[in-house]
Amino acid sequence: MQTAKQLSISLVNKPGRLADMLTALSKEKVNFPALCVMDSGGRGMVRFVPDNLETAIAVLDRKNIRYEVNDVLLAEIPNQSNGFSHLCERLALEHLNIDYAYCSFNSSGKAKGGVSAIIKVNDLAKARRIIGVNVNGRHKRLPMRRPVKVAVG
């Protein structure tokens, strides 16, 4: 797992706006391992992790497109039915909120199954400790605690 800078952009939801932005990024050879586009009441919310943040920002500035830069987690998800749910459980047990998450197919071949999750949490440093990455970027395994079932009613 690592951290990355993500760009969030609100575009008017009209034909060609997204294509225009992506074409401008492509011309400057900005690639992104992860991209998410969602409708948000007449506007489209575009979130992506560029491989070259400085160039991506320069392109957006030239096109007069406003953006927000956020720190996000990039977590490899194992190819199993409960891979993402285990990650969510670990964060929830430590009272960390997931603001949003989306997935990307990882072509590097590092992750079994080739999927990475991009996760925005309310406390990035704590999330890194819980998921098991120390300051040197090396993985350490933390024991998985099972959630306590509470009777409702």
Side-chain angles (χ1 to χ4, degrees):
M1 186 200 61
Q2 58 186 339
T3 58
K5 298 287 185 187
Q6 170 195 263
L7 292 169
S8 297
I9 299 152
S10 177
L11 291 175
V12 174
N13 206 358
K14 290 187 177 179
R17 297 292 173 116
L18 178 62
D20 183 50
M21 183 188 77
L22 295 176
T23 299
L25 290 166
S26 176
K27 285 180 181 177
E28 295 298 323
K29 308 225 183 303
V30 175
N31 296 311
F32 30 88
L35 172 86
C36 177
V37 181
M38 306 219 26
D39 178 42
S40 180
R43 298 193 67 83
M45 177 56 70
V46 181
R47 292 187 168 110
F48 67 97
V49 177
D51 63 351
N52 186 329
L53 180 66
E54 294 78 20
T55 303
I57 286 173
V59 169
L60 296 175
D61 286 341
R62 276 196 309 273
K63 298 212 50 78
N64 199 27
I65 297 173
R66 286 197 252 157
Y67 55 86
E68 183 178 314
V69 180
N70 299 106
D71 291 316
V72 292
L73 297 173
L74 295 177
E76 294 179 1
I77 304 298
N79 188 14
Q80 57 190 46
S81 63
N82 58 359
F84 189 65
S85 67
H86 278 298
L87 178 64
C88 293
E89 287 173 1
R90 290 177 83 174
L91 296 172
L93 285 169
E94 297 297 330
H95 308 286
L96 282 165
N97 188 51
I98 296 174
D99 296 327
Y100 55 82
Y102 54 100
C103 291
S104 170
F105 293 103
N106 180 353
S107 62
S108 70
K110 291 180 184 175
K112 283 188 175 181
V115 176
S116 294
I118 295 77
I119 307 167
K120 173 77 170 70
V121 293
N122 61 328
D123 187 338
L124 190 65
K126 185 175 180 181
R128 286 179 57 117
R129 285 192 308 272
I130 289 161
I131 293 173
V133 174
N134 63 24
V135 290
N136 297 326
R138 296 185 188 266
H139 291 274
K140 62 180 179 179
R141 297 272 181 202
L142 296 178
M144 174 61 127
R145 294 188 282 174
R146 294 194 94 51
V148 177
K149 299 216 181 208
V150 178
V152 177

